[in-house]
Amino acid sequence: MNRKDTAELRRKLEKNLSADRYQHTLGVAYTAAALAMRYGASAEDAELAGLLHDCAKEYGKKELLVLGEKAGHVWSEEDMASPQLWHAIVGPYVAEQKYDVHTPQVLSAIRWHTTGKRELSLLEKIVFTADYIEPNRDKADNLAEIRHLAFEDLDDCVYRITEDTLRYLAARNVKADRKTEECYQWLKEVKHYDDK
């Protein structure tokens, strides 16, 4: 995608997203591109995935369910219990249909930006992290430390984000998504965090 196409995509998103969501989107795109440059990934793909990661966020529940079915997703009981995650399931379909983006690694980064999963690709880790640390975010605990860690060791950063997310949800008696738990366990195995 060239700069002209990116500018056009930004204009479309600005029309289709609320002002706050659009600012968040720009923050994620900027942060993802910076992380991509740091870790040797495609800054263009990272920016594109960052711009589109929440492209389905402001759709209503009924519309998300319908779009998910059109995309071939079979809504599970687990899915139905977590409507806050539906936009990530539907996001790749919206990115393709509405914004004409078909790059598989970009679509996958959009899909896994909320929960993570086992064996995240580099781009998926970057967008997952950028969504958490972008400059407009200010609610998460230890944010300054996690932002620093993002540019030091991306795996450690994703691990910390998933660990903090699981701890936050457990403290509020909210069931965590299975994929987030799997992401956390996978990084624990790969990096041998228990041995440190």
Side-chain angles (χ1 to χ4, degrees):
M1 183 172 273
N2 61 40
R3 299 318 299 171
K4 186 179 171 191
D5 292 338
T6 303
E8 179 59 29
L9 175 59
R10 285 173 188 251
R11 279 192 289 276
K12 283 184 185 174
L13 287 165
E14 190 170 17
K15 282 183 197 167
N16 293 323
L17 300 174
S18 67
D20 285 349
R21 179 68 46 201
Y22 182 63
Q23 285 308 309
H24 166 67
T25 291
L26 294 180
V28 174
Y30 169 83
T31 305
L35 286 167
M37 288 186 279
R38 161 65 179 87
Y39 290 105
S42 165
E44 182 182 290
D45 285 352
E47 181 183 18
L48 185 56
L51 285 170
L52 289 168
H53 81 287
D54 272 354
C55 65
K57 181 79 171 181
E58 294 180 345
Y59 287 32
K61 287 182 184 178
K62 286 182 184 174
E63 195 170 8
L64 287 170
L65 289 171
V66 169
L67 288 171
E69 286 171 9
K70 280 186 180 176
H73 184 75
V74 178
W75 295 100
S76 68
E77 221 174 278
E78 186 179 18
D79 291 334
M80 297 309 288
S82 301
Q84 71 277 14
L85 303 178
W86 295 357
H87 73 285
I89 294 169
V90 174
Y93 180 76
V94 173
E96 285 189 293
Q97 299 300 312
K98 189 168 185 171
Y99 297 102
D100 199 30
V101 171
H102 305 281
T103 312
Q105 62 268 24
V106 169
L107 299 176
S108 189
I110 294 167
R111 170 63 184 93
W112 299 110
H113 81 271
T114 54
T115 61
K117 66 177 179 87
R118 284 186 74 85
E119 299 179 11
L120 286 170
S121 70
L122 176 57
L123 183 62
E124 288 163 353
K125 289 175 194 172
I126 284 169
V127 177
F128 176 85
T129 300
D131 185 38
Y132 195 87
I133 68 165
E134 64 95 1
N136 299 295
R137 293 279 199 199
D138 60 3
K139 299 279 190 282
D141 293 333
N142 310 312
L143 201 48
E145 184 185 341
I146 290 172
R147 282 178 172 142
H148 178 78
L149 188 57
F151 289 88
E152 293 290 318
D153 187 315
L154 192 59
D155 283 345
D156 280 358
C157 185
V158 173
Y159 179 78
R160 277 293 305 281
I161 292 169
T162 55
E163 183 178 50
D164 286 357
T165 299
L166 292 171
R167 188 181 299 122
Y168 174 87
L169 294 173
R172 284 152 185 78
N173 292 316
V174 176
K175 184 168 171 38
D177 185 84
R178 183 173 41 89
K179 293 294 184 187
T180 305
E181 291 173 344
E182 288 174 3
C183 182
Y184 174 73
Q185 289 302 327
W186 165 64
L187 284 165
K188 210 171 184 178
E189 292 160 17
V190 168
K191 298 286 280 195
H192 306 289
Y193 288 108
D194 286 340
D195 301 340
K196 291 183 179 179

